[in-house]
Amino acid sequence: MAPRIDPNRKIIMLLDDNPTILEIGKNILKDLYRVYPVPAGEILLDLLEEITPDLILSDVDMPGLNGYEVISALKKNPAWSQIPVIFLTSRSDENSELEGLSLGAIDYIFKPFSAPLLLKRIENNLQIVEQKKQLLDFNSALEEMVDKKTLQVVNLQNSIMGTLADLIEFRDNTTGNHIIRTQRYLKILLEKTLEEGLYVDEISQWNLDIFISSSPLHDIGKIAISDTILNKPGKLTPDEIEIMKKHVEIGVQAIRKIEENMKGLMDDNSFLRHARLIAGGHHEKWDGSGYPLGLQGTDIPLEGRLMAFADVYDALISSRPYKRPMPTDEARKWIESGKGTHFDPYLSDVFSKVADQFAKVARY
């Protein structure tokens, strides 16, 4: 009797005109995925009328439709355009790789390939695709949330955000826009981080909607800072700076207290956990010179390292009682100069690729 195939496994179509490659590829993948070996591009397009795969592994050089022509056909059809394609080919020159990626492939793997490498590349790319889908659904996610756990988080979030908005309105009428902008910066940076395949293992454990929604609490501790310091029209004295720094510990303590009070009342506390790690980590620096704990490198929570870019960038381009706004191109250079000292050097490279998108948000 044939073994049962788990219907929940992701579907991979393996396109190659070489029967040996099809057999090898099927044997490598069959224990983890539902595999459809396909010997020609025309057959694959017909098969797509019946089955939608989670991923297509495609050769480039084939009789009939080649791999580039197949992916071009996919991108022209709205029903197939979002199917991720990885080219698996003996073409190893830079121009061929560039052409494949330009046509919309998410990866380019050279033959001969090792089984462990192939499986890992597939796993990572499927994770990235899933996370990007979550990000694309960000704006409509609240309307689609129906299960009990998510509703608990939404109710808590709305309550906290409503209270926070009321408090902010009395303190600083510019901070509200700061909250909106930093959320947008975070979304842009996070999307590109996933696209680059960076920190995928950690981020894949997050609910991205909840993470981004928790970011407005990053400076909640400033509620406890005196107006004479918070809105001082000139530079702060050393003593005033130390008082201002305490907003981080105050914010962390406030969120931690909410966590303690909510024990037993909600099943998912990831909203508060993200908020606490963002609040506590976004003033730490990669080289250990930040505050409040002087954490260094990856000891700084990833949430805080991501938020540091959004928070610092917005502070630079914003008008404050003691300074004029910095032009976006100067803000970009300032942040890039902090690569490996102030900021995570790997995320710094990601920031440089989306700095123009940050500049568009800055106009808000």
Side-chain angles (χ1 to χ4, degrees):
M1 186 173 72
R4 294 184 59 186
I5 299 176
D6 184 354
N8 294 319
R9 286 184 180 180
K10 292 188 180 297
I11 296 173
I12 293 180
M13 289 186 180
L14 178 59
L15 173 61
D16 202 299
D17 63 309
N18 186 325
T20 301
I21 294 295
L22 291 180
E23 184 65 24
I24 292 173
K26 181 180 179 181
N27 288 335
I28 291 173
L29 301 172
K30 66 182 181 180
D31 290 337
L32 296 175
Y33 305 100
R34 285 184 284 166
V35 186
Y36 289 78
V38 184
E42 295 84 352
I43 296 175
L44 182 137
L45 296 181
D46 289 339
L47 188 58
L48 289 177
E49 299 287 352
E50 305 295 331
I51 302 170
T52 301
D54 296 284
L55 180 73
I56 295 174
L57 287 171
S58 175
D59 190 17
V60 174
D61 295 313
M62 296 178 290
L65 290 178
N66 65 35
Y68 294 154
E69 291 169 333
V70 168
I71 194 173
S72 295
L74 296 179
K75 296 304 178 184
K76 291 176 182 176
N77 189 322
W80 304 336
S81 62
Q82 297 304 311
I83 299 174
V85 176
I86 295 177
F87 282 123
L88 188 62
T89 175
S90 57
R91 284 196 185 186
S92 58
D93 61 288
E94 182 177 325
N95 289 336
S96 295
E97 182 177 2
L98 181 60
E99 183 177 1
L101 295 175
S102 298
L103 288 170
I106 61 172
D107 207 346
Y108 202 97
I109 302 174
F110 304 124
K111 300 176 183 176
F113 52 84
S114 71
L117 176 61
L118 178 64
L119 290 171
K120 190 60 180 177
R121 295 280 279 272
I122 291 172
E123 177 188 355
N124 286 347
N125 278 294
L126 286 173
Q127 285 181 342
I128 291 171
V129 169
E130 180 62 27
Q131 295 298 326
K132 286 180 69 175
K133 181 179 181 298
Q134 288 191 31
L135 284 168
L136 289 173
D137 292 342
F138 175 71
N139 290 330
S140 60
L142 290 180
E143 297 176 358
E144 299 172 356
M145 292 177 180
V146 294
D147 63 84
K148 180 180 177 181
K149 290 184 179 180
T150 305
L151 287 175
Q152 289 174 333
V153 173
V154 171
N155 290 335
L156 173 63
Q157 171 188 320
N158 290 340
S159 175
I160 293 174
M161 290 305 155
T163 302
L164 179 63
D166 290 341
L167 291 170
I168 289 170
E169 184 178 352
F170 288 106
R171 302 303 305 283
D172 183 350
N173 59 14
T174 67
T175 308
N177 285 339
H178 169 73
I179 286 174
I180 294 171
R181 287 192 300 268
T182 51
Q183 279 190 302
R184 293 181 178 179
Y185 298 140
L186 265 184
K187 183 175 182 291
I188 291 168
L189 185 63
L190 189 56
E191 183 173 14
K192 189 63 175 178
T193 299
L194 289 167
E195 184 179 320
E196 295 292 310
L198 185 62
Y199 298 127
V200 171
D201 289 343
E202 185 169 354
I203 297 174
S204 65
Q205 306 301 313
W206 301 354
N207 181 307
L208 302 184
D209 296 339
I210 292 176
F211 167 66
I212 294 173
S213 297
S214 70
S215 64
L217 296 182
H218 66 279
D219 274 341
I220 190 174
K222 286 185 178 179
I223 298 299
I225 303 300
S226 167
D227 283 340
T228 58
I229 295 177
L230 194 62
N231 294 316
K232 184 177 178 179
K235 288 187 177 181
L236 300 180
T237 66
D239 287 343
E240 289 170 337
I241 290 174
E242 291 306 311
I243 293 173
M244 178 66 84
K245 287 182 177 180
K246 292 185 180 299
H247 81 274
V248 174
E249 296 173 78
I250 293 170
V252 170
Q253 291 171 5
I255 297 170
R256 196 183 300 278
K257 186 171 183 179
I258 297 172
E259 287 181 291
E260 292 173 357
N261 290 338
M262 294 303 296
K263 281 182 179 178
L265 299 179
M266 58 183 296
D267 298 325
D268 186 350
N269 69 343
S270 57
F271 174 79
L272 290 170
R273 184 178 68 253
H274 283 312
R276 172 167 46 79
L277 293 174
I278 290 172
H282 73 288
H283 284 296
E284 300 286 0
K285 297 181 181 180
W286 186 259
D287 64 4
S289 64
Y291 66 91
L293 300 178
L295 299 178
Q296 186 174 9
T298 55
D299 288 340
I300 305 168
L302 180 56
E303 290 93 334
R305 297 184 341 250
L306 287 162
M307 189 67 203
F309 288 90
D311 189 56
V312 172
Y313 184 89
D314 201 65
L316 292 173
I317 61 92
S318 297
S319 178
R320 292 290 184 262
Y322 53 87
K323 76 171 187 71
R324 293 181 179 180
M326 182 182 290
T328 55
D329 58 339
E330 291 184 25
R332 173 182 185 160
K333 292 176 183 176
W334 195 98
I335 288 182
E336 289 176 338
S337 71
K339 176 181 177 180
T341 54
H342 190 139
F343 302 104
D344 181 324
Y346 309 105
L347 291 176
S348 293
D349 291 337
V350 177
F351 165 79
S352 294
K353 295 177 181 179
V354 296
D356 290 342
Q357 296 180 56
F358 271 47
K360 291 179 181 179
V361 173
R363 303 189 190 108
Y364 178 82

